[in-house]
Amino acid sequence: MRKFNVLMAIFSLLVVSTTSAQNKVVINVSAARDTINKNIYGHFAEHLGHCIYGGFYVGENNKKIPNKNGIRLDVIAALKKLKVPVLRWPGGCFADTYHWKDGIGPKTQRPSMLNIWWGNVKEDNSFGTNEFLNMCEVLGAEPYLSGNVGSGTPQELADWVKYTTHPAASSPMPELRAKYGRQNPWKVKFWGMGNEAWGCGGNMTAEHYADVYRQYATFMTDWSNSDRLYRIASGASDDDYHWTETLMQKLPTKMFDALGLHHYSVIDWNKKGSSTEFTESEYFTTMQRALQMEELVTKHSAIMDKYDPKKTKSLSVDEWGGWYDVVKGTKDAFLFQQNTMRDAMIAGTTLNTFNNHCDRVKMANLAQIINVLQAVILTNEEKLVLTPTYHVMEMYNVHQNAVMLPLQVTSNNYQFEGKSLPAVSASASKDKNGAIHISVTNIDASTPQKISINLGNIKISSSSAIILKSNKLQDYNSFDKPNNIIPTAFTDYKITNTDLEINLPPFSVTVIELK
Ligand code: AHR
């Protein structure tokens, strides 16, 4: 028995030493300067698989699924809770094949088209510009329209701007809008100038795209009575720094407001792996890809800094998220995947990166909002499930429009088969009522992390915290068990004089509120 006790004592010492407080976060309140643009919490909806059809839109005549004007009421309620600030549409690759005039007017007269990127399915255009913009108004989200630069014309894009934003009776396009039931313009500030121009948007070189961009931008006229248009150039893929450099050099400063950036956390484009049945090795690689966002944002920003030191242009990470093989039995081209605790970890760490870079990153759009890739909602006929990613986005929405509090993280390593990643990531902000929110993640698959957060002079009278965690990394919310993973109250922390000491379980996301 004595021998056993001695062994236990040695074992506890070992455990304490691996979980001991090497993790340190220092918050520097006096250096707070930049606001976390709420649009960092943006989303993306493409005519792909069941994102639009079956996801948002089930048709006006659907008697089985409660809807208004064909838009699912359960989806609207869930997204309102999430506080979706901005929604990008209609693609993606689809955007550069989309001719918006096919999607307006009486539905029976709308021509159909072939959705060439996503399974060659018939697109009947029953969900078009009016449906999307009206839905954004119901959601309280700003629309972000992706223009067709790949196969459209400058005239077509200029007409779309007029149809959506110019005042009534000012020209033929607003007259057409009135004829189709909408007198006053919508508010459409964000315009994407094509999508992935280096790939599905036209396979252009950066140099050629810059010229094409200038041509299209010339004819997209502002209407002085409405908000100025905010034009987002199709941005780089991952670490294509040449793309960013070229656009910063060649786009006239008055002609653009932001550059895009796309980065997916994919293990290997030829072997993405299952969304639910993955090994720790696959988890580790996914997290490596997700944490790469820090480097990408830093390096693309540094290039932008050279040309725009005052940061008048922003970086819009308008596609990000995890990408795996489709769920067995679903169509390859529909990109339907499950969403586990691994996805919650991608979301938590990536949003921390965006918050911390909010001086340059002013918008980001998770790909994609419903039933596609790292979705926040999955639907199956009348059933709906909120994914772990939904819960992280909701937990983190306290950062929207709050002032970012700069912080420094010293982290233990999450080690796996000789490789290592920082286990802890964090970001913090102060909202307009003075409440401070700190979001912290521990990506380690098995080791809890004790973290000491130095609060400096912050005075605290009350505190609370919520956590998202589960027993297994592979856990998810299914249609049968929709509440398998939900946020719960977190109490494993204590506040001392200047420090907040917390114990984070493995693969968990926590948000602490201090008042
Ligand atoms: O989000 C799915 C696709 O990924 C988008 O259509 C495209 O822009 C990207 O390659």
Side-chain angles (χ1 to χ4, degrees), residues 44 46 48 88 91-95 117-118 195-196 198 200 262 264 269 319 323 335 367-368 372-373:
F44 168 37
E46 180 163 9
L48 193 178
R88 178 173 183 248
C93 295
F94 179 78
W117 292 115
W118 307 117
N195 169 74
E196 298 193 348
W198 41 263
C200 64
H262 289 182
Y264 285 98
W269 285 107
E319 286 184 31
W323 192 323
L335 309 186
Q368 298 192 8
V372 172
L373 300 178

Side-chain angles (χ1 to χ4, degrees), residues 158-392:
D159 281 351
W160 209 11
V161 174
K162 294 193 184 96
Y163 181 85
T164 52
T165 68
H166 282 206
S170 59
S171 69
M173 283 300 122
E175 276 162 24
L176 189 62
R177 183 182 70 222
K179 184 174 155 200
Y180 293 152
R182 173 83 184 201
Q183 188 70 19
N184 293 323
W186 293 274
K187 183 172 178 260
V188 188
K189 178 175 167 185
F190 299 112
W191 291 86
M193 308 292 282
N195 169 74
E196 298 193 348
W198 41 263
C200 64
N203 282 308
M204 302 181 214
T205 61
E207 290 74 9
H208 181 65
Y209 172 66
D211 283 342
V212 172
Y213 180 104
R214 293 161 67 122
Q215 183 193 357
Y216 274 72
T218 305
F219 301 98
M220 284 178 79
T221 51
D222 260 355
W223 185 265
S224 51
N225 289 334
S226 69
D227 275 346
R228 218 180 76 70
L229 305 182
Y230 187 100
R231 283 174 294 206
I232 303 166
S234 168
S237 168
D238 306 293
D239 59 357
D240 184 354
Y241 300 115
H242 172 74
W243 188 273
T244 297
E245 183 98 46
T246 307
L247 296 194
M248 288 306 289
Q249 268 169 8
K250 289 190 179 293
L251 300 187
T253 186
K254 278 197 182 137
M255 281 191 168
F256 79 109
D257 301 279
L259 301 186
L261 170 66
H262 289 182
H263 173 62
Y264 285 98
S265 302
V266 61
I267 293 172
D268 177 337
W269 285 107
N270 298 316
K271 209 165 174 267
K272 302 187 200 77
S274 157
S275 57
T276 50
E277 289 160 29
F278 53 89
T279 60
E280 185 172 347
S281 166
E282 289 176 293
Y283 168 66
F284 187 92
T285 308
T286 306
M287 292 319 300
Q288 209 167 26
R289 304 280 187 264
L291 294 182
Q292 205 198 341
M293 187 64 90
E294 175 66 33
E295 179 188 325
L296 295 174
V297 165
T298 304
K299 291 191 173 167
H300 284 287
S301 298
I303 295 169
M304 294 177 80
D305 285 348
K306 279 200 292 177
Y307 301 87
D308 174 38
K310 292 198 173 137
K311 301 186 196 288
T312 60
K313 311 292 174 199
S314 65
L315 189 61
S316 291
V317 189
D318 45 16
E319 286 184 31
W320 68 274
W323 192 323
Y324 319 107
D325 289 339
V326 300
V327 166
K328 280 198 187 101
T330 65
K331 286 195 181 135
D332 273 351
F334 282 14
L335 309 186
F336 178 77
Q337 60 191 41
Q338 251 305 345
N339 196 292
T340 64
M341 276 307 292
R342 169 170 63 170
D343 297 276
M345 302 319 299
I346 297 176
T349 52
T350 306
L351 292 169
N352 282 340
T353 294
F354 294 156
N355 286 346
N356 292 331
H357 286 273
C358 67
D359 60 338
R360 185 63 84 177
V361 179
K362 303 268 164 69
M363 190 197 287
N365 307 78
L366 175 63
Q368 298 192 8
I369 191 161
I370 311 176
N371 292 333
V372 172
L373 300 178
Q374 193 175 338
V376 291
I377 292 178
L378 301 177
T379 65
N380 183 4
E381 295 293 334
E382 66 277 25
K383 291 187 191 155
L384 173 146
V385 83
L386 305 177
T387 66
T389 301
Y390 174 98
H391 294 303
V392 175

Side-chain angles (χ1 to χ4, degrees), residues 79-97:
L79 294 180
K80 275 191 170 173
K81 259 183 97 193
L82 206 54
K83 300 198 177 122
V84 172
V86 62
L87 185 56
R88 178 173 183 248
W89 175 85
C93 295
F94 179 78
D96 282 295
T97 64

